[in-house]
Amino acid sequence: MSRAAPHPQGLAQGLAQRQPGLHFEALTLKRAGRAVLENVSFDLRAGECLGLIGPNGAGKSTLMRAAMGLLPTAGHSDLARLPVGARARHAAFLPQGREIAWPVAVAHLVELGARAAGRGPDRAAAALARLDLAALAARPATALSGGEQARVLLARALAQDAPYLLADEPIAGLDPAQQIRTMRLLSDLATEGRGVMVSIHDIGLAARHCDRLLVIAAGRIVAEGPPRAVLTADLLARVFRIEARISETPEGLDIRPTRAL
Amino acid sequence: MKALHIGLGLSVAGLFVLSLLVGPAGIAAPEALSALVRGDGQTPVELVMREIRLPRAILAVLVGASLGLSGAAMQGALRNPLAEPGVIGVSASAALGAVLALQTGLAALVPMALPGAALLGAAVSVLMLHLLTRGAGTLELILGGVAISALASALTALVLNLSPNPFAVHEILFWMLGSLADRSFVHVWTAAPVMLAGWLVLLRLGPGLDALTLGEDAAASMGVDLRRLRLGLVLGVAASVGAATAVAGAIGFVGLVVPHMLRRAVGARPSALLLASALGGAALVLAADLAVRVILPERDLKLGVVMALLGAPLFLHLIRKNRSLS
């Protein structure tokens, strides 16, 4: 896994403003009369790591799936309007559930991504190498540990070599070291020019690794902007029902939840 | 992978020839094989070989390949090693069609009424399933199939229940046990085109099934049209298994056991399992149909019975083996 130094955020955002992105407009989804998503509009810019945060049940996964075109949703999504067969070339999607149904070799699973996007096997090999999986390539994926499986699935998404990556809770259930490595990798991908959208529960990691945050609560966007502007004591109390210690550290913004309200 | 396919192909070829050589007529091997290609087909030996043994062996291959391929496709699409072609209700509905043809006496009057009615039963069940689960997900598809299967079985039981004719009941029960005895080339020509159409649809599902290994969302994000895949699955299984049931009756376990037996050998990839299971199914049904004729040649032992007797212990063995390995 890459361990390059984190990129200077100002530069990435400067680039992002000049680069193209994906546009999502008024995404709305009602289930049993209740609005699961209501009028959600946002952009995912090339070159930015966009963090999607919000409490359980806020609609994070639903929004990710709707943006990807996996749910029939009212409103506009640049990805959903693509023909199904063309999606894989434009955006890679890492679902929240880490399902591997059969004991297929790691290399074969990662190749699925490359093949789906019409890329050569070199992209699969590069993705395996980037996630430190070369030594496990011939092993059945189901025989690996949960953390290794998470890396295999991320490698599959990387093998698509798409300009955008939407990752739904990619660090849930991982140990701290792998959480940090995964977030570092996602922000590196953004530095390389890709647009990365990641939903995440760890507000501290989101603050340190994302260029911009989208805060969702009860199916609506309630705040949007750079982590320092968004993550105020007031918002944390209002949206997440927590009290937190917010401090500047040499590693970046530090958010430490101290009490549930 | 290639070695596996060649090995399976050779087994099918070997068992096919063996199937041509075994039968009550006791024809010597060289004479039997030359009767297939020489002469005008009028001598008794030529008639036995061309009109009885050859169609029987061909049907064993067609039926076995249909069941094995359908089983592999079902397991891949449902991501469940317990799935089998019967899950979507096609076999039970085809059997109901056949039973109605037997009960009404239509089967005795019109030559191809029985397989025709069975195919119609399969088609009606697929249409029902499609209308019931249009736009729904995989779970609804399975549940709908289970319901249709139960309904068809209940209606079959009702026909037996109300049948005034004990001979018809006897005939129906024997047909339902599944057999390839006394089939002709008319059966082959009736079933083969439908089966081949089904195979073509199922064999093309490979890449989609591979992507489904990672779940439906991942597959859809990788460009798999899930609705089209499910439609292809239902139509492909209905055509091949409907036609197989129409000519051979209910043959269980092939669709369940064969993909299990071969999964490890193909590296568990659902796409690679399709062709391998078709070949494996053909070999298994040929072998079971040979066993039927060798074990009790005088008693019309039914293929479906032998298959279940072979299949159930084999399945238990596979479960134990897989458990010790994992």
Side-chain angles (χ1 to χ4, degrees):
Chain A
M1 191 173 292
S2 163
R3 275 162 222 197
H7 61 276
Q9 297 199 339
L11 175 69
Q13 274 174 8
L15 281 173
Q17 267 149 32
R18 274 176 277 125
Q19 280 174 350
L22 294 177
H23 184 58
F24 306 93
E25 178 80 41
L27 295 176
T28 299
L29 178 70
K30 288 197 165 57
R31 235 181 243 149
R34 197 176 70 92
V36 193
L37 291 179
E38 199 160 350
N39 221 9
V40 175
S41 302
F42 65 99
D43 287 322
L44 172 59
R45 301 168 197 147
E48 78 167 341
C49 179
L50 174 66
L52 176 63
I53 60 173
N56 282 327
K60 293 189 296 297
S61 284
T62 309
L63 177 55
M64 297 289 260
R65 298 179 69 218
M68 192 64 209
L70 301 175
L71 281 177
T73 318
H76 167 90
S77 155
D78 273 349
L79 291 174
R81 53 177 263 267
L82 292 171
V84 176
R87 257 178 230 162
R89 272 193 299 282
H90 286 83
F93 179 67
L94 191 61
Q96 183 179 8
R98 294 194 188 115
E99 181 174 350
I100 302 174
W102 309 110
V104 179
V106 167
H108 283 311
L109 286 185
V110 175
E111 271 162 28
L112 288 177
R115 207 170 308 140
R119 317 279 187 213
D122 56 315
R123 309 302 167 94
L128 279 171
R130 190 157 189 180
L131 282 148
D132 253 343
L133 290 166
L136 302 177
R139 297 266 302 276
T142 45
L144 305 180
S145 75
E148 288 165 339
Q149 290 186 2
R151 266 153 61 204
V152 171
L153 297 177
L154 185 52
R156 185 278 299 169
L158 284 194
Q160 283 177 235
D161 198 12
Y164 297 93
L165 169 65
L166 282 71
D168 194 1
E169 299 215 19
I171 64 167
L174 301 182
D175 64 34
Q178 210 183 327
Q179 290 195 350
I180 293 173
R181 281 190 205 124
T182 303
M183 290 309 291
R184 182 73 64 77
L185 173 67
L186 295 178
S187 71
D188 285 348
L189 290 171
T191 314
E192 290 161 19
R194 288 174 222 269
V196 177
M197 179 173 178
V198 50
S199 72
I200 177 171
H201 267 301
D202 189 316
I203 302 169
L205 283 174
R208 278 198 294 285
H209 294 277
C210 297
D211 305 309
R212 204 159 60 93
L213 295 179
L214 208 57
V215 186
I216 183 172
R220 293 165 198 254
I221 303 281
V222 293
E224 181 180 354
R228 279 178 182 77
V230 165
L231 295 171
T232 59
D234 171 60
L235 178 119
L236 293 176
R238 199 159 37 88
V239 175
F240 291 91
R241 319 295 306 161
I242 54 167
E243 235 172 56
R245 198 173 303 141
I246 305 175
S247 53
E248 284 293 342
T249 69
E251 291 79 34
L253 192 62
D254 185 35
I255 311 251
R256 197 161 302 172
T258 51
R259 197 163 73 88
L261 295 173
Chain B
M1 192 66 52
K2 211 163 225 171
L4 176 78
H5 286 145
I6 292 171
L8 287 169
L10 288 176
S11 324
V12 172
L15 287 162
F16 184 83
V17 173
L18 214 54
S19 174
L20 290 174
L21 299 180
V22 172
I27 308 163
E31 192 192 349
L33 294 180
S34 79
L36 279 175
V37 284
R38 293 214 192 105
D40 53 5
Q42 296 307 315
T43 70
V45 170
E46 285 165 10
L47 278 173
V48 165
M49 289 309 297
R50 294 185 191 185
E51 302 300 325
I52 297 177
R53 290 196 191 169
L54 187 58
R56 180 171 187 158
I58 291 174
L59 280 176
V61 171
L62 292 175
V63 168
S66 292
L67 294 172
L69 174 60
S70 299
M74 289 293 289
Q75 294 187 3
L78 304 184
R79 285 163 289 148
N80 190 328
L82 290 178
E84 52 114 11
V87 167
I88 58 168
V90 177
S91 331
S93 306
L96 174 63
V99 165
L100 285 172
L102 286 167
Q103 170 60 31
T104 54
L106 205 64
L109 287 175
V110 187
M112 280 295 109
L114 192 150
L119 279 173
L120 192 66
V124 168
S125 78
V126 167
L127 195 65
M128 272 174 66
L129 189 65
H130 179 67
L131 294 176
L132 280 172
T133 64
R134 198 163 30 177
T138 306
L139 183 66
E140 287 87 345
L141 186 72
I142 303 175
L143 294 175
V146 168
I148 288 174
S149 190
L151 181 65
S153 302
L155 289 173
T156 302
L158 183 69
V159 172
L160 288 169
N161 188 179
L162 298 181
S163 176
N165 181 347
F167 295 108
V169 170
H170 187 258
E171 201 186 347
I172 288 170
L173 283 175
F174 262 55
W175 183 85
M176 291 205 304
L177 294 178
S179 172
L180 287 171
D182 307 324
R183 303 302 196 264
S184 68
F185 262 108
V186 184
H187 289 91
V188 174
W189 299 134
T190 308
V194 184
M195 286 176 171
L196 290 175
W199 296 1
L200 283 182
V201 175
L202 292 176
L203 285 169
R204 292 169 60 102
L205 298 180
L209 297 181
D210 279 350
L212 266 177
T213 302
L214 300 175
E216 296 198 344
D217 273 357
S221 78
M222 286 193 280
V224 177
D225 187 335
L226 293 175
R227 265 190 216 187
R228 241 180 90 177
L229 185 138
R230 280 193 286 261
L231 185 65
L233 176 78
V234 168
L235 290 179
V237 169
S240 38
V241 174
T245 310
V247 289
I251 314 268
F253 270 105
V254 182
L256 182 65
V257 171
V258 169
H260 266 281
M261 284 169 38
L262 297 171
R263 181 161 289 122
R264 204 168 285 273
V266 299
R269 277 189 302 156
S271 61
L273 196 53
L274 293 175
L275 181 58
S277 295
L279 293 169
L284 185 63
V285 171
L286 276 168
D289 192 44
L290 269 169
V292 163
R293 283 174 280 169
V294 172
I295 296 170
L296 283 175
E298 299 86 32
R299 306 291 307 273
D300 178 24
L301 197 56
K302 295 296 185 190
L303 178 60
V305 177
V306 172
M307 190 58 79
L309 283 173
L310 284 173
L314 194 61
F315 192 52
L316 286 173
H317 170 70
L318 285 170
I319 293 170
R320 279 177 55 103
K321 205 174 85 179
N322 285 346
R323 194 177 49 189
S324 66
L325 281 172
S326 61

